[in-house]
Amino acid sequence: ILVSALRMSHEQISARWEEKLEGLRGLAAFKVLVMDNLPLDDERELETRLAMNYWVRAVTHEHVVSSQWRKGPPLYSRLVDLAAEAQELGEIGTEDAPEEIAERFHALIDGLSLHSLLYADRLDRGRQEELMERELQRLEKSGSPATRRETK
């Protein structure tokens, strides 16, 4: 039942991504995707709670893990592609591989999501958004052509 619910949730999330990312590329799309995966509203909080329930079972009961999940979450692959595109467009100039950028932001999404459920008083929706926006600004500042020109 849990795997079926998670599968349905992922289908809804994927549809939402397609809608939100339509017409966006590179860093703009990366930012939207990152922010969309934080539990910043009731719907996404419910999705996060479902995912966390699955994680607990996956960690404690190996047979629960679906073959699809073993390939890695689609979010990671999408972040890799968008980070690579943003680098190609010159929107970020970090020397980090797109996989490293994606892994870092995926971990931030997961960590903030989990902590928001565990420590809701300390890490409310506004605080999550503020922290992630700062991290996204750092990514942009680390190498955007405009920022490099300003610092010379």
Side-chain angles (χ1 to χ4, degrees):
I1 294 173
L2 181 60
V3 172
S4 295
L6 190 65
R7 188 174 295 121
M8 188 168 37
S9 175
H10 283 179
E11 288 170 7
Q12 291 172 340
I13 292 167
S14 292
R16 187 175 67 227
W17 289 354
E18 295 312 314
E19 184 179 316
K20 285 188 172 186
L21 296 176
E22 187 176 343
L24 298 178
R25 296 185 61 211
L27 192 57
F30 187 91
K31 288 177 178 183
V32 167
L33 187 60
V34 166
M35 297 306 284
D36 187 67
N37 281 276
L38 290 173
L40 300 177
D41 59 33
D42 292 343
E43 178 184 5
R44 291 179 287 167
E45 184 175 315
L46 183 61
E47 293 165 356
T48 298
R49 288 182 184 283
L50 179 62
M52 297 298 165
N53 277 299
Y54 179 77
W55 291 2
V56 168
R57 285 180 178 72
V59 169
T60 58
H61 300 90
E62 182 65 26
H63 67 280
V64 171
V65 180
S66 71
S67 59
Q68 175 188 353
W69 193 261
R70 289 184 195 282
K71 295 176 189 173
L75 173 58
Y76 171 76
S77 299
R78 197 78 179 258
L79 289 171
V80 169
D81 293 344
L82 291 174
E85 185 175 69
Q87 285 179 322
E88 289 170 11
L89 293 170
E91 296 172 330
I92 56 177
T94 178
E95 299 281 329
D96 293 343
E99 294 81 6
E100 290 177 28
I101 295 167
E103 198 70 66
R104 185 170 62 245
F105 277 90
H106 195 234
L108 283 167
I109 291 165
D110 289 348
L112 288 172
S113 297
L114 175 62
H115 282 211
S116 74
L117 297 180
L118 294 173
Y119 314 111
D121 290 342
R122 188 187 80 218
L123 196 59
D124 63 19
R125 292 171 180 172
R127 182 78 173 129
Q128 291 173 66
E129 193 169 8
E130 176 187 314
L131 290 169
M132 188 60 84
E133 294 224 359
R134 260 196 239 139
E135 289 305 315
L136 288 164
Q137 286 172 358
R138 285 186 183 114
L139 180 64
E140 186 174 14
K141 287 180 182 176
S142 71
S144 70
T147 303
R148 284 196 305 262
R149 280 193 300 272
E150 290 170 7
T151 58
K152 288 185 178 181

